[in-house]
Each structure stands twice: as C-alpha cells, then as structure tokens.
Amino acid sequence: MHLPEGLDWVRGTPVGRAWLAALPTWLTECAERWSLRVGPPFRQAYASLALPADLPDGTAAVLKLQYPDEESRFEADALAHWNGEAAIRLLAHDPGRRALLLERCQPGTPLHDLPADRALDAVIGLLPRLWRPAGAPFTPLAQEAAGWIDRMPRAWERAGRPYERRLLDAALDLLTGLASSQGEQVLVNQDLHAGNILAADALAEDRGPWLAIDPKPLTGEREFSVVPMVRGPELGHSPTAVRHRLDRFSAELGLNRERVRGWTIGHTLAWSVAGDLVFPEKIEVVRWLLDTRAG
C-alpha cells in the first residue's frame, strides 16, 4: 500500500509510527467486516487514510481510517447527528479502529473549483442546515479555547517566536473574552474549509448539490463556524479576499462581524504552529484582520 505523501508527517512520532504499522491489518479487517471491494487511497490526505470502496450491493462508499488525534475524535458522532443533512452520511463505524464507512460524494468536486463568490453563495446556503443544537459528547468551544490559550505561549516560544508578541497578546485577549460571552450553542466544525465541501449531484436532490465532509466538531456559537472559510486560502489569499469573506458571511448569515473577526484571529493563530511546523499564511491572515476594524 502506497501512502499519500500528505501523511508523511505521521512518521515523525511514536504514535504515528504505531498507527502506520496497524493500518494494513485494520484495512483488511474492515474490508472483511463490511464486505468491501477497496481501491487505491485518495491522494489528498493529511490526517487519515481514505480509500474508495464498493459495498456488495454496488453502493459507492469511502473507507476512512483516522489518525488518532483529538480534533477528529467525534467525527462519526457529528455525521450521525447531521444524519445526511448538508453533510456526508455515516454508513458504519468501528470506534476501536477509528474506522468510518461513509457514502461517497459524486462527482466529488471540491468547492474551491467554483469562482470565489459562487463558492461563498454555496457556503451561505449550507451552513444554516448544519447549525443544530448539540451537547455531549462534543467538546464545548469554551473548553477548546481554554486549551489554545494555555498552549499558545509555549508553542510560540518552542517555535522560536515566529511572529510578533503583539499578535499573541491580541489573540489571547480576544479568545478570553469571546469564550465567556457566547450566544446559543450549536454544532460547529472547526475545519470547514473549501476543500471539505464536495459536489454530491449524484445523491438525493434535496441534500445536494454540496455536502460537508471531515468535520472536527465542537459545540459553540454560530460566529465560530465560518472561521475556516474566512481564513482559508482556497478562495483567495489576500487582505481583500479575507475581508470580503468576513463581510459577506457576517452580513448574509446575520452574524456579529467583530465576533467572527475575533474568533478568526484567535483560532488561526492557535493553528499557525504545530510542533516544529509554522504556517506563515495563517500568520498573515491574523495580521490582516488585526488591521481590520468594525465597519
């Protein structure tokens, strides 16, 4: 089995090497358990191994073996909660192997293949269908934010202070204030970028034409749910593009613009450092938004 290059990073930790060693056995066991005919892995993979699969009745599916991170721990629960509404449907789940059997989006074209404003139109139509009240087992956004606040200064130091202290101080202040003053709690996805929404024209008309995949779920206020789309480079990486997305989502979804801006600054900076890796494009987004005032 030839792994996608995007999974090379997992070889750098004992947990990752153990997961890689177990994958061939788990793949065989899952294929046998669900009577699957499995194809080569999808090449676009960074936090899981995903393979096209066919069920005995010909149903097109995807077999997904998750890397054991905390952020995707409740992915199956989120998909079950949505039950196919605006998101891909969960067909089966093996918690011990972190294995998910999912329906397959067809044609599966990513949202970022559309012109930017047409893509934003699709997101604006999709998100309200995902905003469902939820509680356990999902992690509250306030709890997750407390973890970011705790870890960010240490990560900044270990990475060699890759950005200005003013960015760190601003993000910590914003996260502290936002976490304690949220509105109604709904199921939100902290990784809903334009590569995680796929065309699903071949599925039921009342569910398509776009469905969300790969959720990293939390419960939090609606303003947080657009953060990955505001910062994501897939629909344009420039101050103008980022601010345009901020303005459109805030206005057309009835969201508090300053809270969207604050959550984007805090979450984006929290995700700008991962171990030894630093993501300069995320730091750029934080700088641009710190220079963006209310209006």
Side-chain angles (χ1 to χ4, degrees), residues 26 85 102 106 112 135 164 186 194 222 226 232 264 289 291:
W26 288 350
E85 175 64 28
L102 310 165
Q106 294 179 315
H112 56 67
E164 311 92 282
V186 296
R222 290 168 174 80
V226 298
T264 306
L289 289 179
D291 293 334

Side-chain angles (χ1 to χ4, degrees), residues 240-292:
T240 299
V242 168
R243 291 166 187 155
H244 178 63
R245 294 192 292 269
L246 170 66
D247 291 339
R248 276 208 64 187
F249 287 135
S250 300
E252 297 181 44
L253 289 169
L255 304 175
N256 182 303
R257 182 180 182 277
E258 282 305 288
R259 295 188 71 86
V260 173
R261 172 179 168 269
W263 279 122
T264 306
I265 289 169
H267 189 253
T268 302
L269 201 65
W271 278 28
S272 71
V273 177
D276 296 331
L277 296 176
V278 176
F279 300 97
E281 72 282 357
K282 290 183 170 62
I283 298 170
E284 286 181 322
V285 169
V286 172
R287 290 194 185 104
W288 297 336
L289 289 179
L290 279 174
D291 293 334
T292 301

Side-chain angles (χ1 to χ4, degrees), residues 4 14 38 41 62-63 76 87 89 96 98 111 158 171 190-191 196 223-224 226 248 266 275 278 285 295:
V38 178
V62 172
L63 174 61
R89 181 169 278 126
R98 293 283 293 263
L111 184 68
R158 283 196 303 268
Q190 60 177 324
D191 200 29
N196 276 344
E223 279 76 6
F224 180 80
V226 298
R248 276 208 64 187
V278 176
V285 169

